[in-house]
Amino acid sequence: MSYPFQITSQEQYEMAYRVSINEPDQFWASVADNFLWRKKWDNVLEWNFKDPKVKWFQGGKLNITENCIDRHLKTMGEKPAFIWEPNNPEDRVRVVTYNRLHKRVCQVAQMLKNNGVKKGDRVCIYMGMIPELVYAILGCARIGAIHSVIFGGFSAQSIADRLEDAQAEYIITCDGAYRGGKDIPLKNVIDDALVGNKKVKNVIVYTRTRIPVSMIKGRDLWWEDEMEHAEAQVEKDGVVSFPAEEMDAEDPLFILYTSGSTGKPKGVVHSSAGYMIWTTYTFVNVFQYKPGDIHFCTADIGWITGHSYICYGPLCAGATSVMFEGIPTWPDAGRLWDIVDKHNVNILYTAPTAIRSLMGFGLEPLKGKDLSSLRTLGTVGEPINEEAWHWYDDNIGKNKCPIVDTWWQTETGGILISNLAGITPARPAWATLPLPGVQPVLVDENGKEASPNPSDGGALVTSGNLCIKAPWPGIIRTTWGDHDRCRQNYFATYENLYFTGDGALEDEQGNFRITGRVDDVLNVSGHRIGTAEVENAINMHAGVVESAVVGYPHALKGQGIYAYVIYNGHHGDESSRRQDILQTVTRVIGPIAKPDKIQFVSGLPKTRSGKIMRRILRKIAEGDTANLGDTTTLLDPAVVDDIKNNKL
Ligand code: WT7
């Protein structure tokens, strides 16, 4: 049986969904037939959530870069894969065709091989948003090395931890990166991260900003020299080739570190075949991609959104993507609209935090910008408030473009719950329906399926913790180096379910509204930050005795970071102590984890067993001090009054 790869009507969606649940093997085999395999699979799916063990397309052999590049060359070698828009709008736009991408990726693969990189080796990539970043990622995938991209906003300490955890032996970086008005000295940060590191053999450095960098003999190599050498090896008589490594369907493709409720980030591992199929299938269906479309995802490739919807998904689909080096508000708040106008963007995928921040500039930055090329709008990263949804709909989509509210996570590889643009209905603030193969369920604290209750309007609504009943091809396979951690984190809370960490509502038609995290994870401007990680960083400051971190509603960022700190030092006044703590957090994690508010307190509300009552701290941070609930079990109820009275 063969089913259409792209769903084009509501009925087809319903049919695809039904078949994907009732006949998953048949359904996914049919989807997988749309890809290039060296050898087809023996078995579509084998799984249990107890270990957990998830194996899709076992026995299948492939290389994802042949799917992203080689198979397009015959028919669309001269089609742009990327249109690169530089940070500075006056600089030259670069257009990377599929032919050019092929050549560069072959060169990177050869360059890595020349330096001893082998299948399964870990390569850390710390670069700005430039085409070379994509070449580096795909060059790794071509030789079967496992890439671990680290977002440019992470500190040397964070990089050092990730290098250590992944036991990475190679790094690809840039001298520096441009982001808005800032020049970020990436190579310097890498040098700091490498102090004491004995594992890393080579650091390959691409020149972007030409700031001075230290180059250590025997370790550091210039990208340009290495690539020139590799060019002569991969190109013979005008024909470019570098044989792609044959990968097992379940071989790891990459590691991406993400925060959880513990103090230490986890290395989420994605597979070769399942991830490829999931990102491509969801890209084509959710955004309703049409050949020739210009797709613009504003995310950074340092996060999963960029991996899946700038790099792998669109390339596998043969799409043209706009890759943007800069930020939406620089040099002014019209930057995204200029780019849409200039490159005739058809699909725009961005985050609620960006929309809210641009809303704040009013309609002036939109004047004279032709946005008529837009057909589909998307959002991701956090719940979108109705006001932002309507602003996006009215002013950017002019009420003509469906908005897809795409719910997913680093661990899910691609979108799990979303409307399909123009095919299934959109509804402000609701992610709506699950993709084929995705079986969401809401459970109560005890893991029992939650039951519906009448809501204000009388309709039945179910509220609970969002879990998924069975694997989809893009699901996380393990956490790097520690499989039990993967089990503990995602599969142990509720028996036989994948637990997302999110709370949600479900209406009678099976539409979902994501209400936010129910664990100790914050979502700040669409970035995931564990409260325990921030506490660890704050506690590293010499004057700090103890701290507790919670989230609170923030108009632009979605959530802000509120830190309660017991301070015992004698150095400086409150304001300079705050600055020192911020500097410490910047050093330990990076600027993205800096608390918005730091309140010095004399004590923290603890139970008699010593557990911090975060519920109370959260309420106070939210400004809801009248409703603190039961505080009688506290060791010292008086600290609560003190905290309340000195609230920031
Ligand atoms: C968390 C995952 C998925 C790429 C970006 C973030 C929140 C994500 C939505 C949405 C409401 C959303 C969830 C999720 N989230 N998309 N459309 N509506 N919440 O990836 O860093 O892994 O974070 O982001 O809380 O668990 P991430």
Side-chain angles (χ1 to χ4, degrees):
M1 213 14 212
S2 163
Y3 307 97
F5 190 73
Q6 189 169 43
I7 294 164
T8 52
S9 67
Q10 168 105 24
E11 297 69 48
Q12 266 186 27
Y13 161 73
E14 283 161 13
M15 203 261 293
Y17 189 80
R18 223 174 18 247
V19 179
S20 73
I21 305 305
N22 298 336
E23 307 281 350
D25 284 21
Q26 234 187 68
F27 184 80
W28 291 111
S30 151
V31 170
D33 270 332
N34 292 279
F35 294 82
L36 182 66
W37 297 83
R38 293 272 185 92
K39 174 183 170 287
K40 291 243 168 133
W41 55 93
D42 303 318
N43 192 6
V44 174
L45 173 63
E46 195 188 326
W47 71 285
N48 74 64
F49 275 172
K50 197 161 67 52
D51 296 340
K53 168 172 143 185
V54 177
K55 295 193 183 299
W56 281 96
F57 310 108
Q58 269 185 102
K61 306 270 187 200
L62 76 161
N63 185 291
I64 196 169
T65 69
E66 292 185 333
N67 282 274
C68 286
I69 309 171
D70 303 51
R71 67 168 168 157
H72 305 317
L73 295 180
K74 244 203 194 110
T75 51
M76 43 188 193
E78 286 308 303
K79 176 178 174 175
F82 287 103
I83 300 169
W84 178 74
E85 181 67 33
N87 181 60
N88 183 344
E90 273 126 49
D91 287 351
R92 188 173 59 92
V93 167
R94 288 166 66 186
V95 176
V96 181
T97 63
Y98 276 93
N99 278 332
R100 175 53 59 101
L101 181 65
H102 176 245
K103 175 167 170 178
R104 293 291 182 244
V105 169
C106 287
Q107 276 175 266
V108 172
Q110 181 69 50
M111 159 173 87
L112 294 172
K113 186 176 171 192
N114 291 346
N115 287 291
V117 182
K118 300 177 305 297
K119 174 178 176 180
D121 288 349
R122 274 79 58 213
V123 178
C124 162
I125 301 177
Y126 188 65
M127 301 173 90
M129 284 286 288
I130 52 176
E132 285 70 20
L133 166 57
V134 177
Y135 307 159
I137 288 175
L138 296 176
C140 287
R142 191 136 184 119
I143 64 165
I146 301 169
H147 58 77
S148 165
V149 180
I150 301 179
F151 175 62
F154 280 112
S155 70
Q157 183 62 54
S158 295
I159 298 168
D161 293 345
R162 286 159 172 76
L163 288 172
E164 164 71 23
D165 187 83
Q167 292 286 292
E169 292 179 314
Y170 302 90
I171 297 176
I172 307 177
T173 188
C174 299
D175 51 355
Y178 296 124
R179 253 179 96 77
K182 291 193 197 128
D183 292 4
I184 303 159
L186 298 180
K187 173 62 165 61
N188 259 331
V189 180
I190 289 291
D191 288 337
D192 288 345
L194 285 177
V195 174
N197 180 303
K198 298 211 162 50
K199 193 86 190 165
V200 170
K201 295 178 181 157
N202 289 121
V203 181
I204 300 173
V205 185
Y206 175 79
T207 311
R208 171 67 185 117
T209 60
R210 204 55 195 104
I211 50 158
V213 290
S214 104
M215 293 293 284
I216 304 294
K217 193 179 292 166
R219 188 193 74 184
D220 298 351
L221 307 163
W222 291 113
W223 164 290
E224 293 77 2
D225 297 348
E226 298 294 310
M227 285 288 274
E228 196 183 309
H229 181 58
E231 184 171 19
Q233 295 169 282
V234 299
E235 187 163 16
K236 299 261 148 64
D237 307 320
V239 181
V240 175
S241 87
F242 181 95
E245 186 77 26
E246 188 169 285
M247 306 295 283
D248 285 332
E250 280 295 322
D251 276 337
L253 174 64
F254 66 84
I255 307 172
L256 186 59
Y257 285 87
T258 189
S259 297
S261 42
T262 65
K264 196 174 158 259
K266 305 171 282 252
V268 172
V269 177
H270 281 292
S271 70
S272 297
Y275 175 81
M276 167 182 80
I277 287 167
W278 192 249
T279 53
T280 313
Y281 184 72
T282 52
F283 171 70
V284 164
N285 281 296
V286 171
F287 301 103
Q288 288 291 305
Y289 167 75
K290 305 271 178 296
D293 276 354
I294 310 288
H295 166 72
F296 179 19
C297 167
T298 68
D300 190 290
I301 291 184
W303 308 104
I304 191 70
T305 307
H307 280 61
S308 301
Y309 299 109
I310 298 178
C311 194
Y312 288 111
L315 289 176
C316 261
T320 296
S321 272
V322 175
M323 180 181 189
F324 177 36
E325 185 187 37
I327 55 171
T329 48
W330 194 88
D332 60 54
R335 193 66 208 281
L336 294 187
W337 322 130
D338 279 331
I339 296 175
V340 168
D341 185 343
K342 180 166 158 191
H343 300 298
N344 293 311
V345 169
N346 307 110
I347 305 170
L348 176 68
Y349 191 27
T350 192
T353 187
I355 298 168
R356 286 193 302 265
S357 127
L358 294 174
M359 256 170 82
F361 291 88
L363 298 179
E364 190 58 32
L366 283 158
K367 287 234 171 82
K369 313 287 159 74
D370 180 1
L371 305 183
S372 61
S373 57
L374 287 173
R375 196 188 66 238
T376 300
L377 303 178
T379 86
V380 61
E382 55 180 310
I384 181 163
N385 47 313
E386 294 200 24
E387 194 193 355
W389 195 98
H390 285 294
W391 188 88
Y392 200 29
D393 188 37
D394 294 345
N395 300 299
I396 308 307
K398 319 278 186 207
N399 306 115
K400 286 191 321 238
C401 304
I403 297 177
V404 288
D405 179 351
T406 66
W407 174 83
W408 58 296
Q409 312 178 295
T410 304
E411 294 85 348
T412 69
I415 299 162
L416 291 202
I417 304 181
S418 174
N419 49 316
L420 310 182
I423 305 290
T424 60
R427 181 163 156 198
W430 287 68
T432 75
L433 298 168
L435 270 284
V438 176
Q439 300 184 59
V441 58
L442 300 180
V443 302
D444 65 18
E445 306 285 82
N446 305 314
K448 244 187 67 214
E449 218 164 296
S451 351
N453 281 306
S455 66
D456 287 348
L460 291 179
V461 174
T462 310
S463 160
N465 292 345
L466 178 61
C467 295
I468 317 284
K469 283 186 196 168
W472 59 98
I475 190 175
I476 178 177
R477 296 306 197 269
T478 188
T479 46
W480 183 259
D482 191 350
H483 191 61
D484 198 54
R485 200 159 170 223
C486 175
R487 185 186 66 78
Q488 281 282 351
N489 255 292
Y490 307 106
F491 301 94
T493 317
Y494 305 113
E495 213 181 343
N496 290 322
L497 294 175
Y498 166 82
F499 177 42
T500 64
D502 280 319
L505 303 175
E506 181 181 359
D507 73 4
E508 287 173 277
Q509 287 73 46
N511 290 295
F512 289 87
R513 174 179 190 151
I514 313 300
T515 48
R517 303 288 304 198
V518 295
D519 53 6
D520 289 323
V521 171
L522 306 180
N523 191 325
V524 180
S525 301
H527 298 153
R528 213 157 124 180
I529 298 171
T531 53
E533 259 179 88
V534 183
E535 288 166 6
N536 285 350
I538 294 173
N539 295 349
M540 282 176 75
H541 181 62
V544 171
V545 179
E546 198 180 5
S547 65
V549 165
V550 297
Y552 71 98
H554 187 288
L556 282 186
K557 301 178 176 184
Q559 268 188 312
I561 305 180
Y562 197 118
Y564 299 91
V565 173
I566 305 177
Y567 195 91
N568 185 15
H570 300 285
H571 209 78
D573 55 12
E574 277 211 355
S575 145
S576 63
R577 287 173 188 178
R578 272 199 189 96
Q579 293 304 321
D580 292 345
I581 291 173
L582 293 180
Q583 190 62 20
T584 310
V585 173
T586 303
R587 279 276 173 205
V588 178
I589 305 176
I592 53 171
K594 282 199 293 195
D596 299 275
K597 293 186 180 177
I598 298 175
Q599 180 180 348
F600 292 108
V601 297
S602 58
L604 292 167
K606 288 189 180 171
T607 60
R608 289 193 181 84
S609 60
K611 212 175 124 258
I612 297 174
M613 300 267 288
R614 286 161 187 290
R615 177 177 55 78
I616 293 175
L617 294 175
R618 224 174 279 133
K619 288 263 182 203
I620 296 175
E622 283 166 8
D624 185 11
T625 49
N627 275 313
L628 295 184
D630 184 17
T631 55
T632 54
T633 56
L634 287 179
L635 192 61
D636 177 11
V639 297
V640 176
D641 290 325
D642 178 54
I643 295 174
K644 256 180 7 192
N645 296 337
N646 295 304
K647 179 187 163 357
L648 298 177

